[in-house]
Amino acid sequence: MKYGASMFTAQPIGFIRSPYRETSAIPKGLRAKHDAEGAIELLREFEPGLKDIEGFSHLYVLWEFDRSDGFDLIAHPPTDEKRPHGVFATRSPRRPNPIGLTVVELLAREGATLRVRGVDMLDGTPVLDIKPYLSSIPEEKLKRGWLAEAEKSRD
Amino acid sequence: MKYGASMFTAQPIGFIRSPYRETSAIPKGLRAKHDAEGAIELLREFEPGLKDIEGFSHLYVLWEFDRSDGFDLIAHPPTDEKRPHGVFATRSPRRPNPIGLTVVELLAREGATLRVRGVDMLDGTPVLDIKPYLSSIPEEKLKRGWLAEAEKSRD
């Protein structure tokens, strides 16, 4: 087991174009729909890395919570305000490593730009990585802990 | 649109315990099964961040490819060796930001340790983040580009 690994400094490979200019505009809470269209504008130097990406319907986008500062180990998500949860059991932006993860649907590629559906990032968010979405856990096998309880208690 | 964002330096929140000591031991290629059991050993200081994680059946683990150095924009995945693909259309470890993403099944929590199934990381891999897995794209909506073609051509 190795401790004290040498860690990397994140670098943007591009930026998100999104209709959301401020956090309050992003749909949040139970069953919030994320079907907003936007784009991933890759920096020109990374464009060759997109070869053959058109064949995938869905992508993972890793990005930086660049307008969040610091972290809390206990989070108060908007979906369950009265009950705090550990940050790793939530999608809170205030994380030890401020990395966000979003699954988007790929609509089209135009050179270094990917037009996508499902953005929940702020406009101008730095993108760290894009990966193909290859398989899903079947919904019937998923347990969703406090979030499922919060949904049930509001139904 | 903001360019030149101030980027963070990744810090480990814990380390992976895995049966794989070297890259060659990790199952790769078409339909490789990832059902190996392992653990996420969080550093003690981050343990409060796990509160209520037990309720989730599956987790996203973000981690560092710490034994990979540098990146290539064109990758030669083992599943399709004769046809190169853009790095962002593959799971290659040689990425501009060396971040890996794995979905694991949570088997049990013991204090700061999560016992999980589905590890495909090397033993000692630094962990950057853990997020709850909340929903899936239905398999029938997925298109898997060159990977599906490679599978078909071998059937």
Side-chain angles (χ1 to χ4, degrees), chain A residues 38-53:
Chain A
I40 305 169
E41 296 186 346
L42 238 62
L43 299 176
R44 198 55 79 175
E45 66 199 273
F46 294 108
E47 182 176 341
L50 294 178
K51 178 175 154 52
D52 298 332
I53 206 159

Side-chain angles (χ1 to χ4, degrees), chain B residues 24-95:
Chain B
S24 60
I26 301 175
K28 282 186 203 66
L30 297 174
R31 305 196 181 96
K33 283 280 174 202
H34 293 293
D35 49 14
E37 290 190 21
I40 305 169
E41 296 185 347
L42 237 62
L43 299 176
R44 197 55 78 174
E45 66 199 274
F46 294 107
E47 182 176 342
L50 294 178
K51 179 175 153 54
D52 298 333
I53 207 161
E54 301 90 333
F56 294 90
S57 60
H58 293 76
L59 304 171
Y60 286 116
V61 185
L62 277 64
W63 44 278
E64 184 190 356
F65 286 107
D66 66 322
R67 273 151 281 184
S68 178
D69 200 22
F71 69 90
D72 301 305
L73 292 178
I74 297 294
H76 296 77
T79 33
D80 200 13
E81 275 169 350
K82 288 183 189 147
R83 298 192 306 167
H85 304 287
V87 65
F88 303 123
T90 77
R91 300 247 160 184
S92 166
R94 297 179 53 77
R95 322 182 70 79

